Amino acid sequence: MDYSSPSLRLVQGQGLPGPRAIRVVLAVVVVLLFLFPAGIRIAADLFWFREIGFERVFTTELAAKAALFLAVAILSWVWLTINVRVARRSPAGGPVFSGQLPDAVVELIERLPRLTTPATYVIAALAGLSATAAWMTALQFLNGQPFGATDPVFGRDIGYYTFVVPALAMLLGLLSTLTVFSALLAGFVYFVRGEIRPPAPRIFLSPRAGAHLGILVAIFLVLAAARIWIVQIPELLYSTTGPLTGASYTDLHARRPGLHITAVVALLGAGLILAAVARRRVLPAAPLAVIAYIVVGLAGRQAYPAIVQKLVVSPTELTRERPFLAHHIAATRVAWGIDSVATRDLPGDVALTLNDIRNNGPTIENVRLWDREPLLQTFGQLQEIRTYYDFINVDDDRYLIGGRYRQVLLSARELNTGALPTRSFIADHLTFTHGMGITLAPVNQVTTEGLPVLFVKDLPPASTVSLSVTRPQIYFGELTNSYVIVGTQQPEFDHPSGDSSLYAAYQGRAGVPLTFLRRAVLAWHFASLRMLLSGDITAESRILYNRNISRRAARALPFLRFDGDPYLVVTDAGELVWILDAYTSTTRYPYAARLADGTTYMRNSVKVTIDAYHGTVRAYIADAADPLIRTQSRIFPGILSPLDSMPADLRRHLRYPEDLYRAQAALYTTYHMIEPDLFYNREDQWQIPMMEQGRDRNPFMRHLVMRLPDEQQAEYIFMTPFTPRQKDNLAAWMVARSDGEHYGKLLVYRFPKQSLIFGPRQIMNRINQDTEIARQITLWDQRGSEVIRGELLVIPIEKSLIYVQPIYLRAEGGQIPELKRVVLAHQNQVVMAETLDAGLTLLFGGDAGRPSVVADQPSAPAAGAAPATGVNATLVRQIQEAYDRAIAAQRAGNWALYGEEMNRLGDLVRRLSSSSPPR
């Protein structure tokens, strides 16, 4: 082979770039690929945070990330560079492949250690970048507030595990990683220089290389011991070894001693290695120390605990685990806020009377006959007005309307730019900039056509009640996912008016002014050359971005997690404001049960409001006792306001947060059992009944306006029933209260265990078995209509329950569900009527003997039955229903059913005649 060929001259070093050239190339690459895009992103974020008044959050996060990056990068570079330079300054021995390869190749190999210099920069930069993700961990470590509660094993404040241990784990992990990389880089240099040689017949390690690498291995073992004592032993409090979350008998009596022994072995191994370094004979001390650490670790942390668990604990698990189960139950109840749940006992099967119904007028008046999904479809067909408007969600709320406390369902009419007839930069970002108004309906009113009564409707929004919308434009919502530019030379579309369109200029406070520099930066950020070149954008124009309310809140308050159901509120002034529930949470609460994502503690500590027009973000502390929010208040002073400063018209619409309530209700099904023996055997475990709607199965949870037993006023609650595990009868029901002084309180009503109270599934079975209901539904199906079974509602009345289920009908090929019937059930009775009032009359009026009533045994007439006039009213309604069914059967060509209904109609008319008083 010709080793003087041009292709080998590069190998001989004639074309090999030097360290300075490598550094220049690396600097250019870093600037083009990382620094310039990062600078654009930072500038765009700075503009936005400054505009919404949350610059403190931005600067705190940026400063924390920069400080962490610099500290970790410098520490990493210094540590790596010291070790690399120590290795490179060693006297070079013969290259490892000397005599086996051509001289030119050997010369190239000798130059390879130079690459360790840029490698230290790259590793240090990557370490710094990875550390920036822990900026919140570092700030919480510096500002953490005590919980005021201690763990039952080590007696430390919960704040130690939440704020201190994660930071120490991060630091020890960083030092261990740097030690490993230092050993790898130094070992590479020693190997290339021939100070480490492969076995021939055994590994050769020069004294200098052995001493250096031995010290690094000893440091790694010392760090491993520190990690065991500082991190791994405290983390036993999150173990899942036994029948609980937290340190179990095996963890404390087998695994913890094993960890202590492993840590001691690591320290002894480090001492052995350092002694060998002093004797200049690292081999075989270092490998033996590492092997001993690994073997003892596997035996002490895995094998021995497994033996103890199987042979000692499992045969008498309850006896061994009883005290730890008590710790787990107590910690879970405190961490999830279910330790303060109040309980009240209800009597068994209490029969309601007509007087009970009348005395609970606000509850009956707010029985929700409209489900979200059918109502959303109806809103879409009746009130979207144009194809580019969308209703994407329906929110529950309550308002004082006409002096009455009313539960309503409302939905925002948002702009869907994806449905615009013409898509362009001007249309998407300059002309069509906002949604328009809301549609609002009471939960229980229906027109004669079976459609919802609309209190607020049309464009511009018109109201038929005292509630009105004066500023209907929605610039910030759930569907506002793109930026818009206001104050341009293009007119802004406001809303359609007949065949024409009305335009209006934005008069709000939101938006970043578009100076030339900001325009250039944001054009790059949004990858929009048209933004930079458009002549419609002037110096007075402003850009609105981060307009999606969920992302806007999460970006403004990155230390919080948010509920999945933001809701829209109409203020007393007629403005639209979004309310979002925000949570503080951690995965570090000892002994507490965890969710699927690892969360062990959660509090609804913050309420966030976002103005739909101005985009103003406000955050209010709702739980000042929460140590996590007290910590965040120290990190971000001035960002969070006291709840008392929230406007009163918004405070009236605060509600118990849905995601937290779902978690608490699910946990309470098990953790209402506070006795370890009862808990272990699951003797009284409950479950939340699941309701099937089409293909969906959802837990039974509803917002209601009702008067709770023994309370004086109706209130807005979140309610869920409980049934015994694998049973269908009702065991209890839980409510989360949202009004006034009762806000945030959880209350559970329990039924006697010896009483049989029908649960939702049992009531559904009774409804399905009712012959007249089944016949009516079959008749509708035969006519080609789609029958939609609404949500079954559990309505507590006094100390009993009634069940209500709306029945909707959608015509073949139609899009609008219509409310056609209401099914009611109480105790053994099931009735179906055209209206809720009619159904209540059938249940509690003078006649409870309708053929559709299902009864296990004859029942006595209800107390307080209506007089003869009530009987006549019932017969009149039954006559009307029989007539409607006969006409429907005639239209469907079902003459057999038509004949049956006509016979029934004749019988009812004769009964009415005989019951009428003579003139």
Side-chain angles (χ1 to χ4, degrees), residues 241-244 246-257 308-309 312-313 317 319-324 591:
T241 300
L244 63 139
S248 63
Y249 180 93
T250 298
D251 293 316
L252 296 182
H253 292 84
R255 186 164 284 112
R256 183 168 65 166
V308 171
Q309 179 69 27
V312 177
V313 177
E317 188 173 52
T319 302
R320 301 285 184 179
E321 302 289 13
R322 184 177 287 112
F324 310 109
Y591 270 108

Side-chain angles (χ1 to χ4, degrees), residues 243 670-671 673 677-685 725:
T670 301
Y671 291 90
M673 299 178 287
D677 291 35
L678 192 67
F679 179 90
Y680 179 82
N681 293 308
R682 299 296 195 267
E683 293 180 18
D684 191 27
Q685 186 172 6
R725 184 167 60 108

Side-chain angles (χ1 to χ4, degrees), residues 68-83 124 127 171 174-175 178 182:
L68 274 176
F69 174 81
L70 291 175
V72 172
I74 291 173
L75 172 64
S76 302
W77 181 81
V78 169
W79 181 244
L80 294 171
T81 300
I82 289 173
N83 284 279
L171 177 61
L174 171 66
L175 295 176
L178 290 179
S182 296

Side-chain angles (χ1 to χ4, degrees), residues 392-410:
I392 65 170
N393 194 16
V394 175
D395 295 321
D396 278 283
D397 208 345
R398 70 282 196 198
Y399 289 84
L400 196 63
I401 299 176
R404 295 152 65 193
Y405 199 50
R406 303 294 300 272
Q407 185 178 356
V408 300
L409 295 167
L410 64 95

Side-chain angles (χ1 to χ4, degrees), residues 689-730:
M690 304 295 292
M691 298 306 298
E692 298 182 2
Q693 291 183 297
R695 298 180 180 178
D696 298 330
R697 297 184 75 248
N698 300 309
F700 199 106
M701 295 184 180
R702 303 290 182 266
H703 284 103
L704 301 172
V705 169
M706 61 165 290
R707 183 173 67 84
L708 294 173
D710 299 325
E711 299 290 340
Q712 300 301 315
Q713 300 292 330
E715 55 187 287
Y716 187 66
I717 64 165
F718 206 178
M719 182 264 193
T720 187
F722 296 130
T723 62
R725 184 167 60 108
Q726 298 180 350
K727 301 289 184 180
D728 292 331
N729 58 288
L730 209 60

